[in-house]
Amino acid sequence: MAVILPDTPLVTTSPEVARLHRLLKQLPDETFTVWHRLTIHPEPGPDFWVLHADRRGLWIKVSNLTPVGAKVFTQASLFESPVSAPAEAEHQALLRFARQHFSTTKTRPLQQIPAVVAFPNLNESDLTRLADAVQTPPTIIWVGKERLSPAALGPWLEEHLGTPLAEDEIARLRQVFTPEVIIPAHFTVRAPTGGAPMTPGLHEPLQRYTAAQSTPYLLDYDQERVLKTELDLSDEAQATLTDFNLRLVNGVAGSGKSLIVVYRAQLLRRLYPQKSILGLTHNRPLIHDLQARYRALNPDGAPVEWLTFNQWCRRLWGERPFPTPISIDAKRQLMTNVWHALLADTSLSEQMLHDEIDWCKDRLIFSRDDYLAADRTGRGFALTEAQRQKMYTAFEAYQAELNRRDQMDWGDVPRQIWRWVQAGQLRLPRYDVILVDEAQFFAPIWFELIKRVVKPNTGHLFLVADPTQGFLKRRQSWLASGLEVRGRVHRLKKSYRTTREILDFATLLYRTRVPHDDDDIETPDLFDMPGGLFPQVIPLTSEQDEITRVVNEIDQLIQQGVPKRHLLVIHADWHGCDRLLERLQAKFGPTAAVDPKEAVQGDAIRVCTLNAVTGLESPIVFLVGAHQLFEQEQSVRLSDEERSDLIRDNTRKLYMALTRAGQRVVMTYVGLLPDTLRNLPGMGTSG
């Protein structure tokens, strides 16, 4: 079948347009791409744009004229009655669309792109009689239902297509025919094509920001196809379903997954102003970014609810007393105390206890029996039944101490929501659409709650994910999360964020450190990726020198005119992140550097931790504190399995951080560079 965008017509589409939509979808997929113009555009225009693989095309406007209506017109014309000409509205829609969008260009679209009025209800003989009674514009072709059949349509189209279009003409047509795929230039962090070439050197000025602010970008065909998959939210469209509609989009870093979430929210909001739409992700920096992009696309439009999963749970919690969340350091210390008290004389390590407690809280495990019966496949370390008993005793001790302190960790929040729901003490809201960004970080219990708030039969759950970044909820299949995604997955392999050099560096680092990863990274499509600078690694002798060097590098970039908002600083841990943020604020002013967990206003450097940066992007990225990850991996307290897991998780963090950059990456490293960094081909270093 041909690629047709969207893949199904909306239920509000007229029967004639829907019939032609189904027919066009049957054209050969290697030959034709078809766009169906959505009803969100107020001005009249063609219903379809058909584009051949050789770049010839035509427009189609569909008439709902019936044989009865045609007969009335023919009879009226015999007596010169004042009846409007058949297809007059269709003719005017085509002509007005062409004049409006192309009158100032050299293109003559109705010659290069013929315009067709299709009459699915009328025979060719009916059209002949009508044509005798009306003067049809010479640039418009009529076609009746004999040609509108699976066997006849393809050859007829081949015969009537216009002259080949240039690539820039096709891009121009996409802008006017489907303006919902236009990406504002400030949404992208990659340098635009053309302009002065980038030359080596950390402080070489970036030459191309001005062009980037005025040049429109478009979603590619794969992105648009994902965006417009199953847009119909009507009850009639989903009447045959027994659950809800589920779609998963997997994509390489920089493939536009978050962009698609925002664009889909915008499109669905415009199509269905009354539907309830919820956007979720796992961290605050990304939710602020999604909110800002949505507002930029819809400054005056109806809102969409954007929340982190924990914010959403907190909203469900309502006015009930909310225990104080335990800090990360206090949580680690409490687990250490429990381990010393109950597990120090066993082969179970502190890290095992930490991981197992978090793993239990991510699942519907509420009792010792639940835990003993749970399938731990893929956990990375096996436990005997006796070890499970001891582990759960430690889990209970940890939880009892939290309760005694009137504290909880954030893993307790969805668990308490679940208990209230099961006890009938909390009524969950219902949503027509839930959009989840960075879904690889969502725990099974999170999805269990989400599934219960998607409206049955008619609701849509739309997930986007990058499995290579799932270091927080590792070794977790979608099926284990309660989601059957087989046959419902789309894949995006083209990266539009970064450069070939950055992506090569990140990929080589990944495969060098984790050569036998069962879940190897998705191989990106490198075709036509722009070149740029190799990532630079700056070795330093102390963490104090590291912070000073980063501040100085940023100072020089700002002096060269680089906007502060184009700088993203990622630190390996939150203590270092806070110290670096303080230094930057002291140097450039209290509002010049911000933590993106708070809404970012104006021109400001963003500073955040590795765990908080997923989903963000920037033209220039500084990766700081990487040595801490490598030092963690050398701890003598780690078992071989724990070390292997930690290397895998840290490598995914590094890959994710490196691919946040659109143009440049600078990594600082305190101490002697490890071989996996020093020996990477093409790596540039600076002292």
Side-chain angles (χ1 to χ4, degrees):
M1 293 189 295
V3 173
I4 186 164
L5 308 166
D7 58 340
T8 55
L10 304 182
V11 74
T12 53
T13 303
S14 73
E16 290 80 12
V17 171
R19 197 184 319 161
L20 189 56
H21 188 289
R22 290 190 293 270
L23 183 61
L24 291 168
K25 195 172 183 177
Q26 297 179 54
L27 293 170
D29 59 354
E30 297 294 328
T31 307
F32 290 99
T33 300
V34 182
W35 284 267
H36 171 37
R37 196 158 181 265
L38 297 173
T39 56
I40 56 176
H41 308 298
E43 70 278 4
D47 293 310
F48 298 97
W49 172 25
V50 180
L51 185 65
H52 193 276
D54 63 9
R55 301 204 300 270
R56 294 182 298 140
L58 56 74
W59 289 334
I60 301 177
K61 186 69 179 175
V62 180
S63 170
N64 61 2
L65 188 64
T66 64
V68 172
K71 185 176 181 180
V72 168
F73 172 82
T74 303
Q75 292 174 344
S77 64
L78 293 175
F79 299 100
E80 298 183 352
S81 299
V83 177
S84 62
E88 179 66 22
E90 288 78 7
H91 293 165
Q92 291 304 314
L94 291 166
L95 294 170
R96 194 178 310 148
F97 182 82
R99 286 195 301 267
Q100 179 178 352
H101 294 293
F102 301 99
S103 60
T104 61
T105 70
K106 295 180 181 179
T107 302
R108 290 179 292 176
L110 292 188
Q111 293 182 9
Q112 278 198 288
I113 311 171
V116 175
V117 177
F119 296 85
N121 300 320
L122 300 183
N123 295 318
E124 294 288 344
S125 57
D126 297 325
L127 297 185
T128 300
R129 286 192 294 272
L130 287 174
D132 290 339
V134 66
Q135 186 174 356
T136 307
T139 55
I140 296 179
I141 306 165
W142 284 7
V143 60
K145 65 180 181 180
E146 288 92 343
R147 305 292 186 185
L148 302 178
S149 67
L153 182 60
W156 188 89
L157 288 174
E158 293 268 9
E159 182 181 346
H160 290 83
L161 294 170
T163 58
L165 299 165
E167 289 295 339
D168 62 333
E169 292 176 312
I170 292 174
R172 166 66 177 156
L173 281 167
R174 289 187 70 206
Q175 290 179 49
V176 299
F177 195 81
T178 58
E180 64 272 9
V181 304
I182 297 175
I183 305 171
H186 64 272
F187 274 23
T188 184
V189 299
R190 179 193 281 182
T193 304
M198 297 176 69
T199 57
L202 178 59
H203 302 299
E204 182 69 22
L206 298 182
Q207 302 288 340
R208 299 188 271 188
Y209 284 125
T210 301
Q213 297 306 308
S214 59
T215 305
Y217 295 82
L218 303 175
L219 296 177
D220 73 14
Y221 295 150
D222 288 337
Q223 291 170 327
E224 185 180 1
R225 191 172 187 176
V226 170
L227 169 68
K228 295 181 176 179
T229 295
E230 295 175 342
L231 289 178
D232 203 333
L233 303 185
S234 64
D235 294 350
E236 295 89 340
Q238 304 299 325
T240 60
L241 296 180
T242 57
D243 199 348
F244 54 83
N245 190 293
L246 171 65
R247 285 286 158 183
L248 169 66
V249 180
N250 280 340
V252 301
S255 57
K257 299 182 296 298
S258 296
L259 197 66
I260 287 172
V261 168
V262 174
Y263 271 66
R264 190 168 176 90
Q266 173 201 219
L267 193 52
L268 291 175
R269 173 53 72 225
R270 294 176 68 186
L271 287 169
Y272 307 102
Q274 305 307 316
K275 296 289 186 180
S276 53
I277 303 174
L278 172 65
L280 292 174
T281 191
H282 71 297
N283 69 36
R284 283 188 289 166
L286 181 53
I287 209 67
H288 289 316
D289 186 66
L290 296 173
Q291 289 170 335
R293 292 189 184 207
Y294 181 81
R295 285 195 299 268
L297 292 174
N298 301 269
D300 303 315
V304 164
E305 197 173 357
W306 297 100
L307 297 167
T308 68
F309 183 81
N310 283 333
Q311 288 173 335
W312 180 68
C313 286
R314 185 66 183 87
R315 182 173 294 184
L316 295 177
W317 198 283
E319 300 301 320
R320 301 173 179 86
F322 193 76
T324 303
I326 191 171
S327 69
I328 295 174
D329 287 345
K331 176 181 176 179
R332 171 64 70 178
Q333 186 58 54
L334 175 53
M335 288 186 176
T336 297
N337 295 343
V338 170
W339 180 83
H340 278 293
L342 298 174
L343 299 176
D345 61 346
T346 72
S347 60
L348 303 174
S349 68
E350 287 184 51
Q351 190 60 48
M352 286 180 181
L353 175 62
H354 191 140
D355 290 346
E356 200 73 358
I357 288 176
D358 287 345
W359 183 81
C360 287
K361 291 194 175 187
D362 284 344
R363 285 156 177 78
L364 300 178
I365 295 176
F366 292 95
S367 68
R368 186 178 294 266
D369 288 342
D370 290 342
Y371 177 63
L372 295 177
D375 182 2
R376 296 183 69 260
T377 301
R379 286 289 293 125
F381 58 92
L383 296 177
T384 66
E385 183 172 351
Q387 288 174 319
R388 282 201 188 197
Q389 293 281 6
K390 291 181 179 181
M391 189 71 83
Y392 198 77
T393 297
F395 175 89
E396 290 178 320
Y398 167 78
Q399 199 63 35
E401 180 60 20
L402 279 180
N403 295 339
R404 188 190 68 78
R405 300 179 184 184
D406 193 26
Q407 289 184 317
M408 64 178 178
D409 65 33
W410 280 101
D412 292 317
V413 177
R415 292 168 66 82
Q416 186 57 59
I417 297 291
W418 180 266
R419 291 188 186 98
W420 286 333
V421 170
Q422 296 304 302
Q425 299 172 357
L426 176 64
R427 185 176 179 180
L428 293 173
R430 291 287 193 178
Y431 295 91
D432 296 289
V433 179
I434 298 183
L435 308 164
V436 178
D437 196 6
E438 302 288 354
Q440 71 272 12
F441 294 119
F442 277 46
I445 192 172
W446 297 15
F447 283 121
E448 289 299 330
L449 285 170
I450 289 171
K451 288 192 297 183
R452 281 159 177 76
V453 299
V454 182
K455 287 186 178 179
N457 303 323
T458 62
H460 282 225
L461 176 56
F462 188 85
L463 314 175
V464 301
D466 181 353
T468 63
Q469 296 178 26
F471 46 82
L472 297 184
K473 307 295 178 188
R474 60 189 183 280
R475 301 179 185 272
Q476 172 183 308
S477 70
W478 296 111
L479 190 59
S481 297
L483 300 172
E484 177 53 77
V485 300
R486 285 181 299 181
R488 304 177 181 184
V489 182
H490 301 271
R491 288 181 170 81
L492 300 174
K493 290 195 170 187
K494 187 77 174 176
S495 176
Y496 289 94
R497 176 190 299 143
T498 192
T499 64
R500 178 187 292 271
E501 285 76 11
I502 292 173
L503 195 56
D504 280 345
F505 183 90
T507 303
L508 285 169
L509 177 63
Y510 191 107
R511 290 179 174 155
T512 301
R513 282 172 49 84
V514 194
H516 304 298
D517 189 0
D518 292 337
D519 301 322
D520 197 7
I521 58 176
E522 184 100 25
T523 302
D525 179 3
L526 299 178
F527 177 74
D528 204 30
M529 281 196 72
L533 301 176
F534 281 104
Q536 292 181 288
V537 179
I538 303 175
L540 297 159
T541 57
S542 71
E543 293 185 356
Q544 184 62 37
D545 288 346
E546 182 179 43
I547 291 178
T548 299
R549 180 62 180 265
V550 170
V551 172
N552 289 339
E553 299 289 357
I554 289 175
D555 186 27
Q556 291 192 46
L557 288 170
I558 291 173
Q559 289 183 36
Q560 293 172 359
V562 175
K564 298 182 185 73
R565 65 182 179 276
H566 290 170
L567 302 171
L568 173 62
V569 184
I570 307 168
H571 204 291
D573 83 323
W574 69 273
H575 293 292
C577 184
D578 286 348
R579 290 194 298 270
L580 189 49
L581 182 58
E582 290 175 3
R583 284 285 301 275
L584 289 168
Q585 289 174 338
K587 175 71 174 179
F588 302 108
T591 62
V594 297
D595 184 341
K597 289 197 296 291
E598 310 302 328
V600 179
Q601 302 292 335
D603 188 23
I605 305 160
R606 291 169 292 165
V607 185
C608 63
T609 64
L610 266 175
N611 286 347
V613 77
T614 52
L616 300 185
E617 59 185 17
S618 183
I620 302 175
V621 167
F622 285 84
L623 177 54
V624 187
H627 64 282
Q628 296 182 14
L629 302 181
F630 288 81
E631 289 170 0
Q632 292 168 7
E633 298 163 5
Q634 304 308 313
S635 172
V636 296
R637 303 171 70 177
L638 294 173
S639 68
D640 289 343
E641 288 180 338
E642 289 175 316
R643 194 182 319 280
S644 177
D645 282 352
L646 185 58
I647 290 173
R648 179 175 180 267
D649 290 350
N650 284 345
T651 302
R652 290 188 169 195
K653 291 181 181 182
L654 291 169
Y655 179 88
M656 178 275 300
L658 292 166
T659 55
R660 300 305 91 199
Q663 299 181 39
R664 294 181 178 178
V665 171
V666 180
M667 178 192 295
T668 56
Y669 194 96
V670 175
L672 184 65
L673 286 178
D675 290 342
T676 51
L677 285 178
R678 189 186 306 109
N679 297 332
L680 283 177
M683 191 200 76
T685 60
S686 177

